[in-house]
């Protein structure tokens, strides 16, 4: 089983749609969780951290369910500029702060 | 936010040659940097953890004699791909943690822009 698993995608949605990505992680002792965005042939950029209470940043909402070891990202009113690959990322439960990346879910927002 | 740079951004080399990639933290000191590799349509895979002043820690399956890592200062880590072969062609990305305020855990990881290596 992979340490971090994501929806395989790709997701093709019309502009303005709401889209949700899911992710599960295998290590129950994992401490921190993130969603990163990666554009084609570029480095990943932090989209948002994910907190136990859930957190929202504009059109983006992230939620964490520790009991189910499940993380989600919801994008509302999607824009053309949201087209990218979204990476679910989990930090190892140690002081090394190593990150484990999911394989990513590709999103294309269509006009 | 913190800035991490990489040089070169793109390199093409012949099989058998060695290539050095530099990773610099521009406005903060990083005791730990990470090196990742990403093949087309795949996610980032951690290669090694680079520790300032000590030996790097390599992930399973990564040859330490082939991928030499040096972290001589708090702002610079280098990755040297020795005797490169076409299968080493990949996107190499470094990252570093910077202490930030306002977050529970106090750290965010910043990535360099990556180096695209093509071995012919």
């Amino acid at each position: 089983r992979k340490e971090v698993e994501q929806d395989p995608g790709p997701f093709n949605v019309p502009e303005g749609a709401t889209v949700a990505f899911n992710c599960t992680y295998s290590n129950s002792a994992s401490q921190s969780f993130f969603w990163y965005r990666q554009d084609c042939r570029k480095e990943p950029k932090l989209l948002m951290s994910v907190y136990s209470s859930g957190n929202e940043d504009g059109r983006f909402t992230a939620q964490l369910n520790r009991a189910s070891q499940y993380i989600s990202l919801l994008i509302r009113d999607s824009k053309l500029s949201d087209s990218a690959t979204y990476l679910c990322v989990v930090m190892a439960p140690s002081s090394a702060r190593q990150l484990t990346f999911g394989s990513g879910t590709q999103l294309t927002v269509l006009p | 936010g913190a800035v991490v740079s990489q040089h070169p951004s793109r390199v093409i080399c012949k099989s058998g040659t060695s290539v050095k990639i530099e990773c610099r933290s521009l406005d903060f000191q990083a005791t730990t940097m990470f090196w990742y590799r990403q093949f087309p349509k795949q996610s980032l895979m951690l290669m090694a953890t680079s520790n300032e002043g000590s030996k790097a820690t390599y992930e399973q399956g990564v040859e330490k004699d082939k991928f030499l890592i040096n972290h001589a200062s708090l702002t610079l880590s280098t990755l040297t791909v020795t005797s490169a072969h076409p299968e080493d062609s990949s996107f190499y990305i470094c990252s570093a943690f910077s202490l930030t305020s306002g977050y529970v855990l106090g750290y965010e990881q910043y990535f360099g822009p990556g180096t695209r290596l093509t071995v012919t």
Side-chain angles (χ1 to χ4, degrees), chain A residues 32 38 43 51 97-99 102, chain B residues 38 43 49 97 103 105 112:
Chain A
S32 307
Q38 186 174 25
E43 76 277 20
Y51 303 121
R97 306 188 196 105
Q98 292 178 347
L99 298 182
Chain B
Q38 185 176 33
S43 193
T49 302
F97 274 96
Y103 286 86
L105 296 174

Side-chain angles (χ1 to χ4, degrees), chain A residues 56-76:
Chain A
E56 186 175 310
D57 183 2
R59 298 181 293 108
F60 299 85
T61 301
Q63 292 200 311
L64 167 66
N65 184 321
R66 284 190 183 272
S68 302
Q69 295 177 206
Y70 172 93
I71 307 161
S72 66
L73 176 68
L74 184 76
I75 305 176
R76 291 182 300 277

Side-chain angles (χ1 to χ4, degrees), chain B residues 33-45:
Chain B
M33 291 183 174
F34 301 92
W35 285 97
Y36 296 85
R37 180 168 54 182
Q38 185 176 33
F39 292 107
K41 299 192 182 298
Q42 294 185 25
S43 193
L44 278 74
M45 295 299 294

Side-chain angles (χ1 to χ4, degrees), chain A residues 4-21:
Chain A
V4 180
E5 293 201 62
Q6 292 185 240
D7 283 347
F11 284 59
N12 299 315
V13 302
E15 210 172 352
T18 295
V19 60
F21 302 140

Side-chain angles (χ1 to χ4, degrees), chain A residues 8 21 25 41 76 81 87 90 102 104:
Chain A
F21 302 140
Y25 59 96
R41 304 173 78 85
R76 291 182 300 277
S81 57
L87 304 169
V90 175

Side-chain angles (χ1 to χ4, degrees), chain B residues 79-94:
Chain B
L79 168 68
T80 302
V81 183
T82 63
S83 186
H85 291 285
E87 58 265 30
D88 297 324
S89 299
S90 186
F91 190 45
Y92 291 86
I93 308 176
C94 70

